[in-house]
Amino acid sequence: YATFRNPLLYFHSLTDSPACAEDDVPIGRLHSDLAAASRTPALLYISPDRCHDGNPIPCAAGAPAGMAPADAFLKQIVPEILSSAAYKHGGLLVVTVDEAPSSGEFADSSGCCGQPSYPNLPAATAAGLSPRGGGTVGALLLSPFISGGSTSQEPYNHFSLLRTIEDLFGLPHLGYAAPPAVKPFDPALFSAAGG
């Protein structure tokens, strides 16, 4: 995968630890990690490689691009996750993307929900791109604690997801997930009785 898709690799407190090599592993280990709940990590972050991330630009000459390879990737790993004992015991699977398209009919560079202005991004361009966000995207949340078919139109951002994960694990809020303007996901989303 592309390094920028794995934000954990940017933190020396993680990468300088000997545990990093044990815990930051290729997707090929997913099957054995999910084989028993006792071997499944409490948090798995999975990012597709450049050939399966939905990018309309092929990862290599002649390779398929766009949503078909991304869909194939999800069709391979999602059923395995949903059938695992760890997921059935109270797991949460979040499927989302990092940003909306930057060109074409669905181009969107807006932001919402207390999204900060990042200090390392350039000022807005003539095309109107904003340094405040990656546009409107959806997120699919699957869990034994979420009623199937429920929806929410409440606007959240990626820091809302981080804040929600931190809350679920009882952790302090980091960086841009900490400001009061950043809301975690509404607890009412997790109202089902569970499996």
Side-chain angles (χ1 to χ4, degrees):
Y1 58 84
T3 304
F4 74 90
R5 298 260 189 236
N6 185 355
L8 304 176
L9 292 179
Y10 291 97
F11 292 92
H12 279 286
S13 59
L14 298 173
T15 58
D16 295 345
S17 165
C20 183
E22 285 180 36
D23 296 334
D24 188 23
V25 299
I27 190 77
R29 199 168 109 184
L30 181 64
H31 181 73
S32 64
D33 282 349
L34 294 176
S38 61
R39 289 203 314 256
T40 305
L43 177 69
L44 291 170
Y45 175 83
I46 299 171
S47 178
D49 63 20
R50 293 279 296 128
C51 296
H52 299 93
D53 66 359
N55 195 315
I57 299 168
C59 64
M67 295 311 297
D71 188 50
F73 174 78
L74 291 172
K75 284 180 178 178
Q76 177 186 347
I77 68 164
V78 169
E80 186 170 6
I81 293 169
L82 298 184
S83 66
S84 72
Y87 172 82
K88 291 177 182 179
H89 184 65
L92 169 64
L93 174 63
V94 180
V95 179
T96 190
V97 297
D98 61 345
E99 62 188 353
S102 57
S103 63
E105 177 184 0
F106 300 107
D108 182 7
S109 65
S110 64
C112 79
C113 329
Q115 185 86 1
S117 180
Y118 305 115
N120 59 340
L121 292 181
T125 67
L129 298 177
S130 167
R132 286 194 170 269
T136 301
V137 299
L140 174 64
L141 280 65
L142 301 170
S143 174
F145 295 99
I146 297 175
S147 297
S150 57
T151 61
S152 171
Q153 296 301 314
E154 186 69 30
Y156 297 107
N157 62 29
H158 289 82
F159 300 114
S160 299
L161 173 58
L162 174 57
R163 189 176 184 123
T164 301
I165 292 168
E166 292 166 338
D167 289 350
L168 289 171
F169 283 97
L171 298 170
H173 302 137
L174 295 171
Y176 291 133
V182 176
K183 301 178 301 188
F185 293 170
D186 187 337
L189 291 172
F190 306 99
S191 61

